[in-house]
Amino acid sequence: MNSSRTRTALTVLDQPTDVAACASAPLAGGLDVDAATALAQTLKALADPARLRLLSLVAGSSTGEACVCDLTGPLGLSQPTVSHHCKVLVDAGFLTREKRGVWAYYAVIPGALHTLADVLGSAAVPADGRAASTARA
């Protein structure tokens, strides 16, 4: 390895002195504070590998629902831990919970993931429909 280093001068680019020169278009749309807070809570519920697996297991069930007792094995987690993760997904609006005897059965709420995709899509695409990378061109 060569221990000698050559120094290269960095070129300083001209910086605009006018604030208006910085932005080519005013920012509009996007999420307001309340919507961003709610979306962050929703995404936080999904930001766990066990919860994502739970959601996919329940969604992929042939009956459209799954008993908590059937979810512990595939996840390798205890029943109380699985129940906690399911509760988080219920509170976030992804699953429903139905108590049958001593067991709880969970089902995916129809359209919950589509609603999330719609919110993310509407926040990411400007009103003119152009992608963010081309909107400044």
Side-chain angles (χ1 to χ4, degrees):
M1 179 171 243
N2 188 354
S3 62
S4 66
R5 294 185 180 188
T6 57
R7 293 184 180 236
T8 304
L10 295 176
T11 304
V12 177
L13 301 175
D14 291 334
Q15 296 179 355
T17 56
D18 183 358
V19 174
C22 177
S24 59
L27 297 176
L31 298 172
D32 63 27
V33 174
D34 292 337
T37 301
L39 182 58
Q41 283 300 113
T42 300
L43 293 175
K44 184 178 177 182
L46 292 177
D48 183 280
R51 290 187 204 128
L52 286 173
R53 290 195 61 215
L54 274 169
L55 196 58
S56 68
L57 287 167
V58 175
S61 169
S62 62
T63 61
E65 64 181 11
C67 176
V68 71
C69 63
D70 296 326
L71 296 169
T72 57
L75 292 171
L77 299 172
S78 68
Q79 182 272 319
T81 301
V82 172
S83 291
H84 165 74
H85 286 304
C86 286
K87 180 185 182 319
V88 171
L89 292 170
V90 168
D91 292 345
F94 291 108
L95 296 178
T96 61
R97 178 182 185 270
E98 181 184 333
K99 184 90 167 163
R100 297 182 198 160
V102 296
W103 295 111
Y105 286 77
Y106 296 91
V108 175
I109 294 175
L113 294 175
H114 293 295
T115 301
L116 176 62
D118 290 345
V119 170
L120 290 173
S122 67
V125 178
D128 65 6
R130 294 185 295 168
S133 62
T134 61
R136 296 179 191 221

